[in-house]
Amino acid sequence: MESLKLLAPLAWRNIWRTPRRTVITLIVVSVGMSSILLFAAFLEAWAASSRDRTLTLLTGSAQIHAEGFLDDPTVKRMFDEPSGALADALQDSGISGWAPRLIVPAILQSEYRTMPITLVGVSPAHERAVSVLPGNVVDGNYLQDPADPGIVIGRKLLDHLKTRRGKRVILLAQAADGSLAERSFTISGAFAGDSAIEEQFVFVGLQVAQGMLGTGERLSEIALRVEDPEALGPIVERLRHAAPGLDIRPWKELSPLAAAVDETMGLMIYIWLWVMFVLIAFGIVNTQLMAVFERVREFGLMQALGMKPRAILGLVTLESGILVGLGVLIGMAAAVVAINSVTDGIDISFFAEGAAMVGAGTMLFPEIDPARIVQLSFVVWALGVGVALWPARKAAKSSPMEAMKHVS
Amino acid sequence: MCPERAGTRNRIARGQPEGALRERSPLVSCRGLIKTYVQGAIEVPALRGVDLDLARGDFATLAGPSGSGKTTLLNMIGGLDRPSAGDVVLDGRNLATLGKAELAELRLHRIGFVFQSYNLIPVLSALENVEFILRLQGIAPRERRQRALEALADVGLEGLEGRRPAHLSGGQQQRVAVARALVGRPAIVLADEPTANLDTRNAEELIELMAALNARLGTTFLMGTHDARVIARAQRHIELTDGRISSDETRPAG
Ligand SMILES: Nc1ncnc2c1ncn2[C@@H]1O[C@H](COP(=O)(O)OP(=O)(O)OP(=O)(O)O)[C@@H](O)[C@H]1O
Ligand SMILES: [Mg+2]
């Protein structure tokens, strides 16, 4: 403690002996630090966007299918409406909603065009508890109930079919008995999602779809929503236990891409941290080596006067610690200001194609957990001080005889 | 750090009961000192067998041609470097038996240094430079400040306590160095060419100052120097030639 009282003011003054060099070092460290934090915030926003898209657009947190449906999603692979143990398990308080669906590949025809699509029969009230799409109708209305005779299709698909709300379209699909089912619908609304979903999915009432395809009250999918990520695993386990014959999977298995994005982001943040850290390390080691070489005689003097090599090591390490610490604080402050200035989101639609490929939306909302800021900053600071031990050890090795050397 | 320091103080204190014997024994005793610098394949003999005793209170100069070994001898006595052969006993302790950290402790408590130049820590004021020693010694703040101010007053630097070395003249810097060398109450002050960078007036003032402090405090001084003014003021004069003592005269005080 007493030695810190001796060393701290000395370290602080030594840092400002060469203000230019100190300022340059501070710039290098703070730019590196803020870029690490900004990159982390951006990547985390990206991962969150991709995760949210998976979770809230259509997939939900987990899904139930008949065995084999995911490999061969046809009208043959279906299961009965939940009852008994499965119905009970779906009452779990951790499940905020679940939506029964009938899903088949189909063809949709307008006056001008024919497009292959995926038909989804939905129960609107249930659907709203799982997916944001019912709330994303930008033109007209969503379906009212499972018997609603209308059809809701994506904005993009509407364009492709060169048709509009209120017009009629014809739906063709293979029925449960193998025959070709055909029925005409009036377009009651168009939804906005991302372009892949807008192009692919078409929604009709569940009962209407079941009637058209002759499936009775059978389903091809139940999507469910779980708010707490921690609770998802145990819930999936309980559902599996309740319905051993069904294929029940969490979103990470259903959407490996989104899961991979989620997991790679963490790795990328650390790669960037290392890249920036190498820059910071060069800056700090270079500065401190210069500072030490210039002061060999002074370190010798201090040792001649009775200061121990350990105290010299402490002095130079303290200088590095203050220098890197200041740089880290400045970088941290700059990053926080920058992140807070874009809380309205960054529009990345200028490369939306690329963004869509890795599953993100076109708006990113960078934000960063204060605990994470502190954690990353501390890692950079500790590593910075760590590499600066090298010049500090050089300083501690200065000989006390340096003080006796004649100059001039 | 502090327990170690206390330990050393105790060790030093424990030597005191034999004070009567120690008063008669020399403060510094060099026996058969040999120092050979090895530079690659070349061996440079700097000291070729020096026997030297310094009594308590000696005010001695060490002269000799350039390269005769003055600085080398001061390094050995000050525990800054180790001899190739022979022993230095300072204040009853054989330096060869001390480790690096113990030597640092010994320098801190028993030896004051005045170097030729760049004596002071540039980022510290005159007062802080003097206090530096007392801080290392672990002296409490109040006493530390008091003693440092007194030491600076002793060398005639009242009013300049807050100045950094860059804002002091060469003569003033050397005075601060003398104050710092004495403030820790060492047994001996070792000075190497303390006046070499000073003009005549400043050199004379500095040497008068050291002589006065020697007389008043009884601190032993050993000064390596070429300076005739310094040598003239010395009570004992030692000449080194080619790494050996070629003459050693003690003049009657006066
Ligand atoms: N670190 C060293 N490495 C090699 N040789 C050295 C070293 N220090 C001193 N010497 C040599 O040892 C001899 C004695 O040097 P020293 O510095 O003790 O002489 P000096 O009497 O102090 O000379 P000066 O009056 O020039 O200061 C010289 O020949 C010198 O070149
Ligand atoms: Mg010399």
Side-chain angles (χ1 to χ4, degrees):
Chain A
M1 204 56 232
E2 184 57 31
S3 65
L4 195 66
K5 268 198 210 152
L6 168 70
L7 297 183
L10 211 50
W12 177 253
R13 292 184 201 175
N14 281 331
I15 288 172
W16 297 105
R17 275 162 92 159
T18 48
R20 234 176 91 97
R21 192 156 74 203
T22 295
V23 167
I24 291 171
T25 311
L26 286 178
I27 290 173
V28 169
V29 174
S30 59
V31 165
M33 186 68 236
S34 60
S35 97
I36 289 169
L37 293 176
L38 291 175
F39 195 67
F42 184 77
L43 284 184
E44 265 161 23
W46 192 306
S49 158
S50 115
R51 194 168 52 232
D52 285 356
R53 214 181 66 119
T54 303
L55 294 180
T56 64
L57 281 185
L58 203 54
T59 308
S61 312
Q63 293 183 344
I64 304 173
H65 299 106
E67 234 20 280
F69 175 86
L70 288 171
D71 295 325
D72 178 23
T74 64
V75 73
K76 305 251 180 268
R77 317 255 181 208
M78 287 191 294
F79 58 98
D80 290 325
E81 278 195 335
S83 60
L86 181 57
D88 288 346
L90 284 170
Q91 298 299 316
D92 193 301
S93 62
I95 299 175
S96 56
W98 57 273
R101 292 169 181 165
L102 181 66
I103 300 177
V104 289
I107 285 173
L108 192 61
Q109 228 173 28
S110 71
E111 296 162 63
Y112 305 100
R113 290 259 173 94
T114 303
M115 303 290 293
I117 51 104
T118 299
L119 175 66
V120 187
V122 294
S123 163
H126 288 95
E127 199 64 22
R128 284 178 192 277
V130 171
S131 161
V132 296
L133 289 181
N136 273 9
V137 171
V138 289
D139 183 15
N141 298 302
Y142 195 68
L143 306 166
Q144 300 305 315
D145 56 67
D148 192 305
I151 188 167
V152 174
I153 74 179
R155 241 178 354 184
K156 268 264 169 64
L157 188 60
L158 211 60
D159 283 350
H160 290 329
L161 290 171
K162 295 184 185 298
T163 185
R164 58 192 158 76
R165 180 168 64 85
K167 290 277 199 177
R168 291 187 80 78
V169 285
I170 294 167
L171 193 62
L172 299 162
Q174 193 185 32
D177 62 5
S179 66
L180 187 69
E182 179 185 330
R183 185 178 163 143
S184 89
F185 290 88
T186 302
I187 300 171
S188 53
F191 68 86
D194 68 61
S195 52
I197 286 183
E198 285 182 19
E199 277 170 6
Q200 193 187 348
F201 293 95
V202 165
F203 299 91
V204 300
L206 179 60
Q207 285 170 17
V208 175
Q210 284 169 337
M212 172 184 167
L213 301 172
T215 60
E217 295 198 333
R218 292 164 73 79
L219 303 173
S220 26
E221 176 173 296
I222 290 176
L224 48 102
R225 186 160 173 74
V226 174
E227 304 294 346
D228 176 10
E230 302 294 315
L232 184 58
I235 287 175
V236 167
E237 277 318 305
R238 283 200 286 279
L239 291 171
R240 282 177 178 160
H241 191 73
L246 295 178
D247 181 9
I248 302 174
R249 301 189 190 188
W251 68 273
K252 286 200 178 188
E253 288 175 38
L254 294 164
S255 180
L257 182 63
V261 167
D262 204 50
E263 269 146 31
T264 334
M265 289 308 173
L267 183 67
M268 284 172 72
I269 290 167
Y270 275 98
I271 291 173
W272 187 251
L273 190 142
W274 277 108
V275 169
M276 280 297 111
F277 178 69
V278 168
L279 174 88
I280 292 172
F282 268 111
I284 185 71
V285 168
N286 181 53
T287 300
Q288 289 301 76
L289 274 182
M290 271 203 264
V292 164
F293 280 131
E294 286 167 3
R295 293 190 294 164
V296 170
R297 193 186 166 93
E298 196 173 312
F299 295 131
L301 171 68
M302 289 174 166
Q303 294 202 46
L305 296 179
M307 199 159 163
K308 301 219 175 82
R310 276 220 346 245
I312 306 271
L313 184 86
L315 174 63
V316 179
T317 305
L318 201 57
E319 287 171 22
S320 310
I322 295 173
L323 199 53
V324 180
L326 269 183
V328 164
L329 283 179
I330 295 170
M332 222 161 103
V336 167
V337 168
I339 291 169
N340 284 334
S341 71
V342 292
T343 44
D344 293 344
I346 305 173
D347 188 355
I348 55 160
S349 52
F350 60 90
F351 63 93
E353 289 301 305
M357 280 176 61
V358 292
T362 55
M363 286 299 278
L364 291 185
F365 298 90
E367 66 181 316
I368 185 161
D369 175 16
R372 187 127 174 84
I373 294 184
V374 171
Q375 177 209 349
L376 288 172
S377 305
F378 181 78
V379 166
V380 170
W381 180 79
L383 289 173
V385 175
V387 295
L389 281 178
W390 174 35
R393 291 176 60 138
K394 271 197 180 314
K397 281 186 187 154
S398 332
S399 159
M401 275 197 294
E402 290 292 333
M404 277 280 192
K405 274 196 187 148
H406 297 189
V407 199
S408 83
Chain B
M1 218 167 168
C2 291
E4 247 177 90
R5 202 179 286 144
T8 305
R9 261 208 303 277
N10 288 340
R11 279 199 300 277
I12 291 165
R14 244 183 277 128
Q16 298 300 352
E18 308 156 44
L21 189 113
R22 287 188 33 174
E23 283 309 310
R24 266 178 281 125
S25 70
L27 175 67
V28 175
S29 174
C30 304
R31 286 292 169 273
L33 266 196
I34 293 176
K35 178 67 181 180
T36 309
Y37 292 106
V38 180
Q39 280 186 322
I42 308 166
E43 296 199 339
V44 184
L47 296 179
R48 301 165 187 259
V50 170
D51 295 318
L52 175 66
D53 286 341
L54 290 174
R56 285 163 207 279
D58 269 359
F59 191 68
T61 47
L62 185 62
S66 186
S68 58
K70 301 183 292 292
T71 300
T72 304
L73 182 57
L74 289 170
N75 276 334
M76 301 298 135
I77 296 174
L80 297 174
D81 198 8
R82 292 184 189 279
S84 311
D87 286 314
V88 178
V89 176
L90 191 145
D91 210 14
R93 309 185 72 196
N94 189 333
L95 303 195
T97 63
L98 303 180
K100 259 193 173 175
E102 288 171 308
L103 278 179
E105 283 291 336
L106 181 95
R107 289 196 298 267
L108 174 61
H109 292 278
R110 307 306 289 156
I111 307 175
F113 287 99
V114 179
F115 303 110
Q116 178 190 355
S117 51
Y118 297 107
N119 244 308
L120 305 177
I121 297 167
V123 293
L124 299 182
S125 69
L127 182 66
E128 289 166 332
N129 263 287
V130 176
E131 274 191 291
F132 184 78
I133 297 294
L134 301 178
R135 276 179 177 273
L136 290 179
Q137 287 187 349
I139 306 290
R142 199 181 259 268
E143 182 189 347
R144 188 166 76 209
R145 167 89 15 143
Q146 186 61 31
R147 277 170 62 179
L149 286 170
E150 275 169 22
L152 281 171
D154 281 349
V155 299
L157 286 180
E158 297 107 323
L160 300 181
E161 294 91 350
R163 291 222 190 150
R164 297 242 181 132
H167 298 286
L168 293 170
S169 73
Q172 289 167 338
Q173 290 181 31
Q174 290 307 77
R175 285 158 179 263
V176 176
V178 170
R180 183 191 58 199
L182 286 163
V183 78
R185 297 178 182 154
I188 184 169
V189 172
L190 299 175
D192 197 18
E193 316 272 11
T195 58
N197 291 352
L198 302 182
D199 59 36
T200 303
R201 221 191 86 216
N202 275 307
E204 275 167 4
E205 279 176 13
L206 189 76
I207 189 68
E208 282 309 324
L209 179 68
M210 292 197 286
L213 289 166
N214 163 259
R216 182 150 74 82
L217 306 171
T219 312
T220 311
F221 277 75
L222 179 62
M223 296 160 284
T225 188
H226 287 118
D227 193 333
R229 296 162 304 196
V230 178
I231 295 167
R233 198 69 188 68
Q235 151 250 338
R236 180 175 172 190
H237 181 62
I238 303 155
E239 284 270 346
L240 273 182
T241 311
D242 274 346
R244 289 196 183 89
I245 292 178
S246 52
S247 93
D248 184 350
E249 299 167 13
T250 303
R251 295 178 210 132

